[in-house]
Amino acid sequence: MRLAWTVRRNSYFDSIDLMRVAEQARQLAGVTEVAVVMGTAPGRSMLAEAGMWPPEAPEAGPSDLLICVRASTETVAHRALARVEELLSASRDGGLAREDVVSRTTASAAR
């Protein structure tokens, strides 16, 4: 298993959005685990306890976003990191895609 991580400096996201992004990235073939958390002390501690934030990873502050991926190969891990970045950018540009939301009216579907 390969572990890859990145720090996105000064980048706040709501925890619900982060869980949704992690779940979508976890669907990639070969990806075992994805964690996307804020760099708060509890967030860093959770990652360290799960073995997903090794000592050689960069320092992070509470306003930083930590993205960690465990995958079968380094290539797959980096593909998953790129997918997380893509999903986070999409959420900033207009909200995360919510396939599970069904519109009840034509007007709400158009929105």
Side-chain angles (χ1 to χ4, degrees), residues 2-68:
R2 299 288 185 204
L3 185 63
W5 64 89
T6 190
V7 176
R8 194 170 182 181
R9 302 282 177 201
N10 297 314
S11 189
Y12 175 80
F13 285 86
D14 179 77
S15 61
I16 300 298
D17 288 337
L18 296 179
M19 287 186 285
R20 192 173 294 122
V21 164
E23 181 58 34
Q24 289 178 0
R26 200 175 291 118
Q27 302 305 313
L28 293 172
V31 173
T32 306
E33 188 58 56
V34 176
V36 186
V37 300
M38 294 306 300
T40 61
R44 290 190 317 267
S45 177
M46 178 197 67
L47 292 175
E49 288 174 18
M52 292 189 72
W53 199 252
E56 68 269 16
E59 291 292 320
S63 64
D64 297 333
L65 184 66
L66 311 179
I67 306 167
C68 310

